Amino acid sequence: MTLAADAAKPHEQALRWIADHAGSGIERLRVIGVDPALEGRVGPDGRRVADAVAEAARTALPDVEVEIARHAGSFANALVAESDAGDLLVVGSWRSRRGSTLGNGPARVAERAAVPTVVVPDGPHPIDGDVVLAVEEPLDERAVAIAVDEAERRHRRLTVLRAWEMPVLTRTGLTDFAEDPMRWRTRNAELLERVTAELRRRHPALRIHPLLVEGHPGHAIAAHSRTASLVVLGRGHVHALSGSVLHDVLRESVSPVCVVPPTAHGATAPVEAAKDRTAAADAEAGLADREATG
């Protein structure tokens, strides 16, 4: 497991989330110090942030091996490069700064990481309620596995949420489904019913609650998961044709969000995939810096 630790990031909430999962078989924790220079920034106590986070992690997780890795350069570049070293990346994020370049960093990382990424917003966190799985088509089996495992481990209900919206007018007119709103709703309801039935067949002891919501997917997912213990997004929600569902959910959610990007499914060779992710992160970081200074 990998934890980002930077002076500009709310790492305390992320560490608290990791400590809460201490019973799930964590053996090693890498604390990544992301600083603009190798000497880096220091916290209010005069210590380097990564050192302070690592010490807190050793106290909270006495049976876990904790190590520190330091990176100079951009937040996104460092974490994308380090994501190959573990099986889960955990990043803290400011809800109050999500409109800034700083606040968009976790989304840029989650889009390209080699492993699933949990983005933990600064507290306070909501009620420790359902695990919410955002349903997509085709269904992301790795996202399903993560959501089911979390629900079973924490003895929580699994809410299977399908958020849908009507197609918009185009130059050629309405699509076939938009000509008949009930047909579009029925198709989404049938998808949710199929997914729910399959999950109940696979996991008969798990409590499952299907939820069909009309509205923009990103806003709807965030709005209907305010008491969730975890929201799980599969690869279909990372690059949605109707807009960036991922960015909307991370900007508005008050719950931790687990993102399973396309790169976490092993579609390409690990070394080449890492190169591609690092190059993309560099380009994204450069664009973000130009936006921030422009």
Side-chain angles (χ1 to χ4, degrees):
M1 185 175 291
T2 304
L3 169 66
D6 181 75
K9 297 294 175 182
H11 44 264
E12 294 89 350
Q13 299 294 339
L15 178 57
R16 189 172 294 118
W17 188 91
I18 292 174
D20 191 45
H21 288 71
S24 60
I26 302 174
E27 297 179 355
R28 183 171 65 107
L29 176 65
R30 287 172 59 81
V31 177
I32 309 303
V34 184
D35 295 307
L38 287 177
E39 289 304 312
R41 291 186 285 257
V42 297
D45 57 358
R47 291 186 300 172
R48 295 175 66 176
V49 174
D51 294 326
V53 173
E55 181 177 327
R58 294 185 182 105
T59 300
L61 304 163
D63 298 325
V64 175
E65 177 187 352
V66 179
E67 60 185 48
I68 300 174
R70 305 186 193 278
H71 276 260
S74 73
F75 171 85
N77 183 34
L79 296 189
V80 168
E82 284 288 342
S83 64
D84 283 313
D87 54 11
L88 186 70
L89 177 63
V90 183
V91 183
S93 179
W94 294 104
R95 280 199 303 264
S96 59
R97 300 187 187 182
R98 293 246 173 102
S100 66
T101 301
L102 174 68
N104 287 331
R108 297 200 303 272
V109 172
E111 288 174 335
R112 300 181 178 90
V115 296
T117 300
V118 176
V119 180
V120 185
D122 56 313
H125 286 166
I127 298 170
D128 191 11
D130 291 7
V131 174
V132 175
L133 171 64
V135 173
E136 54 191 318
E137 191 175 24
L139 194 62
D140 187 329
E141 290 294 343
R142 188 162 188 188
V144 171
I146 290 172
V148 168
D149 179 73
E150 181 76 0
E152 290 180 337
R153 190 187 70 82
R154 299 177 68 86
H155 305 289
R156 293 291 182 264
R157 187 176 67 172
L158 177 65
T159 288
V160 183
L161 189 158
R162 174 62 177 176
W164 65 281
E165 63 179 339
M166 290 295 301
V168 297
L169 281 168
T170 65
R171 292 182 180 179
T172 58
L174 289 170
T175 65
D176 290 340
F177 281 115
E179 292 171 3
D180 183 357
M182 287 305 299
R183 185 182 175 194
W184 186 246
R185 185 186 189 284
T186 298
R187 178 181 178 182
N188 282 275
E190 290 173 348
L191 169 62
L192 179 61
E193 184 178 348
R194 289 197 307 272
V195 171
T196 302
E198 177 61 19
L199 290 178
R200 284 174 173 161
R201 184 189 66 79
R202 296 185 199 174
H203 309 280
L206 183 64
R207 293 179 297 151
I208 299 177
H209 170 60
L211 180 60
L212 183 66
V213 178
E214 180 179 2
H216 183 277
H219 304 318
I221 292 169
H224 288 82
S225 59
R226 296 194 179 279
T227 62
S229 57
L230 184 69
V231 181
V232 182
L233 302 180
R235 55 185 164 184
H237 287 110
V238 175
H239 295 295
L241 294 178
S242 60
S244 179
V245 175
L246 169 64
H247 284 255
D248 288 337
V249 173
L250 293 184
R251 183 170 54 249
E252 299 175 20
S253 178
V254 296
S255 302
V257 179
C258 180
V259 182
V260 186
T263 44
H265 292 76
T268 56
V271 173
E272 293 304 317
K275 291 179 180 177
D276 291 344
R277 289 192 301 273
T278 301
D282 280 334
E284 188 75 30
L287 175 61
D289 290 341
R290 289 194 296 273
E291 290 176 347
T293 57

